Amino acid sequence: MYLSRSFTLRALCAATLAISYSATTLAGGFDLPTIAASHQGTSNANGAEAIDPSVIYYNPAGLTRLRGLQVSQGFSLLALRGKVEDMGSYGTPAINEPGNSAEGRPLAGEPYSNGAPGSFWPKVLGAGGLFVSMPVDDMLTVGLGIFAPGGGNLNYKSDWAGAYQAENVAIELININPSAGIRFDDKHSIGFGVSIIGGHLRQKTQIDVAGVGPYLFRPVIQNANFGTLDPGLTLGQLTDGLCGVGPLCDITIGTITDPLLLTDALASLGAGAIVDPESNGSGKVEMYGYGFGYNLGYMYNFSDKTRMGIAYRSESKIKLRGDLEWQLDNLNGTPSGNLIIAAINGGDGNLQDYLRNYLRPDTTAKGNLKLPSRLSVNFFHELTDKIDLLMDYTFIESSIVDEIRVAFSDRTDPDGNTVKQGDGAVYTKWKDSFKVSVGANYHLNDALTLRTGFQFDKTPVPSPEFRHPGAPDSDRYMYSVGANYKVDKEISIDAAYSIVFLEDSLSNYRDPCRGVSNENDGSSCTGNGGGFRGKFSDTSIQVLSLQMNKKF
């Protein structure tokens, strides 16, 4: 690669494109296993080493140890593997089942909930970063980092058992982080920076037609004008032979004096009274937004061979705005359903149009994505001329992520009435977590340094009840090797390889939203109810990274 002063501009463009596609599992909260190859080689244990501008992410006080204008640009490939097993997922509980102790119908055998999850991890993903540092004088050094601070990407199939909770999920983040380091003397230095974070969230979920239908259509049936129907029509005929509630099947429409009797009888049948149970549909939320944060650092040199750093990165709230889109083209009404819709619309029995206009219109969406604050303590010690020892401990305040909630705007139907769709939410109830890394450098000669390290990352997921299939995180273990090779006095190359193992974990996530209302408090909501019960196993991430470092 030809390197010149235009290198910085070209690197900035390339890194921005790479970062825009960066994502991995939601392991460790939203964390990526790599920010820069020079740190990945020690499993992120060398925050106090301060060997290139990527120290901006780990401890901006380390900028003061860098001399001259320096640029580091890296790129990573992540290969993900894993298995998931359904262990008895279930749909929305029936309308007459009480409280949150009742489970819904088993999903095994249903046409749109009995497929394999497929290769739900994307096979290969890319990530990248760009870091620049430049001394202003002997005291002040400034820098800029552009990197992906975290993200997630899961792609299941549309007919797997957990599709009513998540078919696919993507969270993509990019952080633009200008920073500065100030050197007071040979022992003390501080650093600070601001973060401008852009975010993108996308989630698609299949609709539990059979489960949600009774809740969605109950008020519709209650408000229907059945006086427009043939009074000799029996309830059993209206429901296309699906009545199943004994003598009610023989009652004719014209003899019903209590409309609630008809309402409850039809609602008890499930969606099959109105919607063809072979039908399917989905909802997709896609939002973009931005947020701000800051980072601070302090570094103390005990001697030329030993130093310690303390760094803090603040909580950031990404304010997201976008759209909710319903895919309803494959939702079809039963003959009885068409009659019911006709009784409401005065002759128009088109189920899809009625849903789009009156019950499930496309609308705008908004929500907040919280990135937890973190406090790190890192340590560097030159044991011999050949060997360096490294350590990092990071506390993560992930308990601030108690839920991921999306609010949907009201719309007006053709009759001028307000159509409200309650919030959609994933209840995470994360707890505070931490990661600890240890590593070592071995200076083989003046040109080549070898690295290795180990990291343990504690999951913030408190229990299987809060392990949503869109965020199947668990404790993880990271093993790394790496190397730095000095091509000449100005150019060096870092390479690193890591393998991350996630512990096998169980999920028993239950959605308390029964289509339109929360079964715990009765509040308005949009969701599928039911739950996913399964096991995630044999999950691993392999990471291969390269980084070019240039001094000017």
Side-chain angles (χ1 to χ4, degrees):
M1 177 183 293
Y2 173 72
L3 293 167
S4 68
R5 292 193 179 274
S6 65
F7 171 80
T8 302
L9 179 60
R10 294 202 310 272
L12 174 63
C13 297
T16 302
L17 288 172
I19 292 168
S20 68
Y21 291 100
S22 66
T24 182
T25 71
L26 290 176
F30 297 111
D31 284 358
L32 288 167
T34 180
I35 295 294
S38 56
H39 291 263
Q40 180 190 326
T42 64
S43 289
N44 305 304
N46 58 337
E49 187 177 11
I51 51 173
D52 62 52
S54 64
V55 74
I56 287 172
Y57 174 80
Y58 297 91
N59 189 335
L63 284 169
T64 60
R65 297 189 58 82
L66 306 179
R67 300 291 178 263
L69 174 63
Q70 298 190 31
V71 178
S72 294
Q73 182 185 351
F75 186 78
S76 302
L77 291 176
L78 300 94
L80 302 97
R81 298 293 183 270
K83 298 178 182 178
V84 60
E85 175 187 357
D86 176 44
M87 300 175 66
S89 300
Y90 48 93
T92 308
I95 201 167
N96 57 356
E97 290 182 352
N100 56 17
S101 62
E103 290 189 356
R105 71 198 185 284
L107 297 181
E110 292 201 358
Y112 293 99
S113 301
N114 203 36
S119 300
F120 58 95
W121 307 119
K123 292 184 178 180
V124 178
L125 291 171
L130 171 70
F131 300 89
V132 181
S133 68
M134 182 178 68
V136 176
D137 52 36
D138 291 341
M139 184 177 181
L140 175 66
T141 302
V142 296
L144 175 67
I146 303 176
F147 53 89
N153 198 322
L154 294 168
N155 293 301
Y156 298 99
K157 289 187 176 180
S158 61
D159 61 349
W160 82 293
Y164 295 153
Q165 306 301 327
E167 179 184 334
N168 59 64
V169 181
I171 297 176
E172 295 160 347
L173 302 170
I174 179 172
N175 189 340
I176 301 174
N177 191 184
S179 302
I182 300 175
R183 177 179 176 272
F184 292 106
D185 52 38
D186 291 341
K187 291 187 176 296
H188 304 276
S189 59
I190 63 171
F192 57 89
V194 296
S195 291
I196 305 165
I197 306 172
H200 169 230
L201 182 148
R202 182 187 71 251
Q203 178 172 351
K204 182 178 180 182
T205 307
Q206 289 293 310
I207 300 172
D208 183 1
V209 173
V212 171
Y215 296 92
L216 191 62
F217 283 103
R218 185 175 190 179
V220 173
I221 297 171
Q222 189 170 352
N223 295 326
N225 180 15
F226 290 101
T228 63
L229 301 180
D230 180 359
L233 186 69
T234 67
L235 183 59
Q237 291 169 326
L238 175 62
T239 58
D240 201 26
L242 297 175
C243 188
V245 290
L248 289 177
C249 294
D250 299 324
I251 296 177
T252 60
I253 299 299
T255 63
I256 294 177
T257 58
D258 184 359
L260 288 178
L261 179 66
L262 178 59
T263 299
D264 291 340
L266 289 174
S268 69
L269 303 176
I274 298 178
V275 185
D276 182 350
E278 297 293 315
S279 295
N280 68 93
S282 63
K284 184 180 77 171
V285 175
E286 187 159 17
M287 302 186 293
Y288 297 84
Y290 63 91
F292 300 96
Y294 63 91
N295 57 311
L296 305 171
Y298 170 75
M299 193 166 288
Y300 178 77
N301 295 324
F302 293 95
S303 66
D304 291 340
K305 296 183 177 183
T306 306
R307 53 188 172 271
M308 180 190 74
I310 301 174
Y312 175 78
R313 189 166 286 272
S314 73
E315 171 190 342
S316 298
K317 182 184 293 185
I318 315 300
K319 296 182 178 180
L320 300 168
R321 300 294 184 269
D323 298 290
L324 165 65
E325 296 181 2
W326 294 105
Q327 305 296 324
L328 307 175
D329 292 344
N330 294 324
L331 277 177
N332 302 308
T334 62
S336 59
N338 293 333
L339 285 172
I340 292 171
I341 299 301
I344 300 165
N345 277 0
D348 184 359
N350 187 295
L351 175 67
Q352 296 173 10
D353 289 345
Y354 186 80
L355 286 168
R356 291 190 177 101
N357 290 327
Y358 293 93
L359 298 181
R360 286 292 182 258
D362 291 348
T363 186
T364 56
K366 63 179 181 179
N368 296 321
L369 182 65
K370 297 178 182 178
L371 302 185
S373 64
R374 57 188 61 215
L375 178 67
S376 300
V377 177
N378 28 64
F379 181 81
F380 171 89
H381 177 63
E382 185 180 321
L383 184 64
T384 69
D385 292 342
K386 293 285 189 179
I387 300 174
D388 305 326
L389 300 179
L390 316 153
M391 184 276 292
D392 178 275
Y393 173 84
T394 299
F395 170 81
I396 305 171
E397 193 186 10
S398 41
S399 58
I400 67 166
V401 187
D402 58 344
E403 65 178 18
I404 300 175
R405 179 174 293 272
V406 180
F408 305 123
S409 302
D410 295 345
R411 284 290 181 260
T412 303
D413 68 24
D415 299 328
N417 300 313
T418 299
V419 181
K420 292 182 176 293
Q421 299 182 78
D423 296 355
V426 173
Y427 299 93
T428 53
K429 302 296 182 185
W430 281 357
K431 59 184 180 180
D432 292 336
S433 58
F434 67 90
K435 59 177 66 178
V436 59
S437 305
V438 292
N441 296 329
Y442 181 73
H443 301 280
L444 185 65
N445 52 47
D446 291 341
L448 181 61
T449 298
L450 304 178
R451 310 183 191 278
T452 189
F454 168 77
Q455 177 176 286
F456 171 71
D457 194 342
K458 182 65 177 176
T459 179
V461 178
S463 67
E465 287 71 25
F466 296 100
R467 183 169 285 110
H468 188 274
D473 186 38
S474 62
D475 293 347
R476 63 178 177 175
Y477 306 85
M478 178 177 179
Y479 305 87
S480 304
V481 292
N484 173 269
Y485 179 72
K486 294 180 175 61
V487 179
D488 55 35
K489 292 182 179 180
E490 295 182 342
I491 298 174
S492 68
I493 299 172
D494 280 285
Y497 169 80
S498 301
I499 185 165
V500 183
F501 296 103
L502 277 73
E503 285 191 354
D504 294 353
S505 60
L506 297 175
S507 173
N508 190 17
Y509 184 85
R510 180 185 179 86
D511 181 0
C513 180
R514 294 196 180 196
V516 296
S517 63
N518 190 301
E519 64 185 20
N520 294 321
D521 57 20
S523 60
S524 177
C525 62
T526 296
N528 271 318
F532 173 72
R533 184 183 290 122
K535 180 180 180 180
F536 295 89
S537 61
D538 300 334
T539 305
S540 64
I541 312 169
Q542 297 187 71
V543 188
L544 181 63
S545 300
L546 290 174
Q547 177 180 319
M548 176 76 73
N549 308 295
K550 169 69 175 176
K551 297 180 181 180
F552 294 90

